[in-house]
Amino acid sequence: MDQIQKVEQEILELRQKLREKEDELYALKLNYHSSQSAQAHNGDESQITEETTIKQWTLPKWAIERYSRQILLREIGVAGQARICAAKVLIVGAGGLGCPAAMYLAGAGVGEIGIVDYDTVEISNIHRQLLHREIDTDVNKAESAARAIRSINSHIKVTPYKVQLDSTNAIQIASKYDVVLDCTDNAPTRYLLSDLCVLAKLPLISGSALKLEGQLTVYCYRADLHSVDKSSTYRGPCYRCVFSVPPSPDALGSCSQHGVAPPVPGVIGTLQATEALKFIIGHPSRNLLVERMLIMDVDDMSCKVVQLRPRNPMCAICSDTPTITQLIDYEVFCKTQAKEKELDLKILPPMNRITAVELQTLLLSKSTLLLDVRSAAEFDMCNIDGADNWPIDYVDRRLEELLKKTEENDGAVVFICRRGNDSQIAAKMLLDKLPEAHRHKVKDMEGGLHAWAKYVDKDFPVY
Ligand SMILES: [Zn+2]
């Protein structure tokens, strides 16, 4: 064991040195490439330029060699590649969607890529967020992703933003870019990005992936800002045109709650990069997923494109007479938090809550009933000895049975879940119907299994 720890420590130190050297090399290369471009600008004509009057594009030798396989495409050509090299794309979220999107945009040579993410890499992310490595655990995701894509292409500029995008910083960050990719997974950020793109006049390429399903569409398209459709006044819908009212917080799902098959965000993120590249090289709106949504289900490999509503002439933000003219507080608007990790419900009185250590003591009594309200799949992954699995949707359907069980039980009836939120909801459903005399028996374990792993059983898996 000592020998294993010693070698692991040596590897950590070597990797840290490797990172420092990679950063040094990236800075040197970036410096070298920009000095080459400056020389080209002053002397020969090998830099990437667009003569606005005669539309004569040129590419330097390195770019022709590097991007030749895509330049060969009639749809890209030299002009398209020059546009890609001059483009600036902002990726919001360096997770399952953001990782593949960033990889392909970097590979294709997008000149500047910004990556926004406040979160840090966890071991449970790596099965689908393939820019991050085990060694990046606890490192900020924007930083980890930026480092990885710099190693794919040192000719591009990559800027990590280690912040939570919100109403105070979004316009300042996004205004430096030409296209925004929504690679997030929560309603407040979806509305924020859509409103931001309406106000900043940027197209928004929106992806989502959950369980076995993926979706992709383009919001906030404006023909007047697009190189091909410029003469038209056509504008595609924004997110609010399609979803004017936020979904109820209960209807929202996340990958950490419901799970996701790793290739689904891989495919959708890759297609987000494809739509971004198509926009950049000048594909017209009819060829982009504007007013249309691609829906993919890998369960039976079905894939369809459905028509979305057109722009709503009465939309609160993108109509000609908007009622919203600046960014608002989207967590208040959606009645949910943008940071899932900080969700900490407090809906039960103190008498109905116990700590992990108190539960450990209660479990010494045979009359304690422990009800785990997670899904069956989660329960099968790991559970506390003696717990019964009562998935939260069963609690609602079998409430009568549970009321009887509680009234007949002499000891405590303790609810538990992963983080201590669903267990409170389940306990409250029971408490609302339970006669006063039995209410003291109902307990919720604060902090859920995460707290159990922290304070009682260090070997219990945390996911
Ligand atoms: Zn709208």
Side-chain angles (χ1 to χ4, degrees):
M1 194 65 192
D2 286 352
Q3 188 62 19
I4 291 173
Q5 282 175 345
K6 184 170 166 281
V7 174
E8 278 180 344
Q9 187 56 37
E10 282 173 11
I11 290 172
L12 268 177
E13 286 165 13
L14 285 169
R15 281 186 168 145
Q16 185 55 38
K17 274 191 190 149
L18 178 65
R19 279 180 173 177
E20 287 166 14
K21 281 288 161 199
E22 281 174 348
D23 287 349
E24 190 183 332
L25 178 64
Y26 175 72
L28 286 169
K29 278 187 174 177
L30 205 61
N31 204 10
Y32 174 74
H33 296 325
S34 48
S35 67
Q36 290 289 98
S37 292
Q39 277 177 21
H41 186 67
N42 294 331
D44 65 72
E45 293 181 358
S46 65
Q47 65 153 3
I48 300 162
T49 53
E50 179 186 13
E51 298 296 336
T52 50
T53 48
I54 54 169
K55 292 280 181 210
Q56 183 61 54
W57 299 87
T58 57
L59 288 172
K61 176 175 175 289
W62 67 262
I64 292 167
E65 288 171 354
R66 187 173 186 117
Y67 305 121
S68 59
R69 298 297 185 275
Q70 62 199 51
I71 295 171
L72 286 173
L73 293 173
R74 184 173 52 84
E75 291 81 0
I76 295 182
V78 170
Q81 186 58 50
R83 284 199 174 103
I84 292 169
C85 290
K88 299 170 184 177
V89 178
L90 182 67
I91 299 170
V92 184
L97 299 166
C99 284
M103 283 169 68
Y104 279 102
L105 292 173
V110 167
E112 285 192 40
I113 297 177
I115 304 175
V116 187
D117 209 312
Y118 67 91
D119 205 0
T120 52
V121 177
E122 291 176 14
I123 202 75
S124 63
N125 300 145
I126 296 174
H127 79 132
R128 66 189 189 283
Q129 302 178 13
L130 296 174
L131 281 180
H132 312 305
R133 301 280 174 262
E134 290 174 6
I135 191 72
D136 299 317
T137 304
D138 296 330
V139 173
N140 172 271
K141 285 188 185 178
E143 190 180 315
S144 165
R147 186 184 302 280
I149 63 171
R150 280 172 188 151
S151 70
I152 292 173
N153 193 343
S154 61
H155 286 270
I156 62 173
K157 183 179 171 190
V158 187
T159 309
Y161 297 93
K162 299 188 275 184
V163 295
Q164 163 88 22
L165 204 70
D166 62 26
S167 309
T168 63
N169 56 22
I171 291 205
Q172 195 193 5
I173 293 174
S175 57
K176 298 173 190 148
Y177 295 88
D178 309 317
V179 183
V180 178
L181 265 57
D182 181 355
C183 299
T184 67
D185 65 353
N186 64 80
T189 312
R190 290 210 183 281
Y191 280 96
L192 164 69
L193 288 176
S194 178
D195 286 3
L196 164 71
C197 287
V198 171
L199 296 175
K201 298 181 179 172
L202 296 169
L204 175 65
I205 299 169
S206 174
S208 69
L210 191 64
K211 299 182 186 174
L212 301 177
E213 286 183 19
Q215 297 183 348
L216 173 73
T217 188
V218 178
Y219 293 116
C220 308
Y221 177 87
R222 294 177 63 109
D224 57 346
L225 296 175
H226 195 30
S227 53
V228 169
D229 293 344
K230 239 172 192 159
S231 55
S232 161
T233 56
Y234 172 74
R235 286 167 65 184
C238 77
Y239 189 65
R240 278 182 193 272
C241 292
V242 181
F243 303 102
S244 58
V245 180
S248 92
D250 299 341
L252 295 170
S254 70
C255 295
S256 69
Q257 279 176 313
H258 299 286
V260 61
V264 177
V267 171
I268 298 293
T270 301
L271 294 179
Q272 282 180 277
T274 312
E275 287 298 273
L277 291 170
K278 280 164 59 187
F279 174 83
I280 291 163
I281 63 175
H283 264 42
S285 62
R286 66 175 179 278
N287 288 36
L288 299 166
L289 280 169
V290 177
E291 252 182 69
R292 297 185 299 146
M293 179 180 277
L294 179 141
I295 301 174
M296 182 187 76
D297 186 344
V298 300
D299 186 38
D300 59 0
M301 280 301 171
S302 63
C303 194
K304 58 187 174 188
V305 175
V306 298
Q307 198 68 31
L308 293 183
R309 287 178 205 158
R311 188 164 75 104
N312 174 5
M314 304 300 287
C315 175
I317 190 157
C318 79
S319 68
D320 295 333
T321 51
T323 52
I324 300 170
T325 53
Q326 57 184 18
L327 298 178
I328 59 170
D329 185 330
Y330 294 90
E331 293 188 334
V332 171
F333 175 64
C334 295
K335 298 188 184 69
T336 186
Q337 299 188 31
K339 283 186 182 179
E340 184 194 12
K341 284 178 183 174
E342 291 180 4
L343 187 68
D344 185 17
L345 293 179
K346 286 193 179 64
I347 56 177
L348 295 181
M351 68 165 272
N352 294 115
R353 304 201 77 188
I354 56 168
T355 65
V357 176
E358 286 166 338
L359 174 64
Q360 189 182 25
T361 309
L362 275 180
L363 287 176
L364 298 174
S365 158
K366 284 202 162 42
S367 63
T368 299
L369 261 183
L370 180 59
L371 307 180
D372 186 326
V373 302
R374 295 174 301 149
S375 67
E378 287 176 278
F379 188 80
D380 288 347
M381 254 190 326
C382 51
N383 57 64
I384 296 176
D385 274 351
D388 272 348
N389 188 204
W390 277 65
I392 190 158
D393 43 342
Y394 290 7
V395 173
D396 194 22
R397 272 185 266 151
R398 293 166 59 189
L399 200 55
E400 288 303 320
E401 187 188 336
L402 194 55
L403 282 163
K404 193 159 174 272
K405 224 175 164 70
T406 307
E407 287 178 30
E408 288 170 3
N409 195 51
D410 293 331
V413 177
V414 185
F415 288 87
I416 192 165
C417 66
R418 181 156 63 127
R419 288 183 175 142
N421 292 321
D422 279 355
S423 56
Q424 289 186 70
I425 295 168
K428 188 162 187 321
M429 278 192 244
L430 180 62
L431 281 167
D432 286 348
K433 294 275 167 69
L434 199 64
E436 183 66 39
H438 299 281
R439 291 169 68 94
H440 66 280
K441 294 182 198 167
V442 178
K443 306 288 179 191
D444 161 73
M445 206 206 90
E446 286 176 35
L449 291 165
H450 280 200
W452 181 261
K454 191 170 176 187
Y455 300 112
V456 176
D457 181 359
K458 299 252 181 304
D459 291 331
F460 199 87
V462 175
Y463 65 93

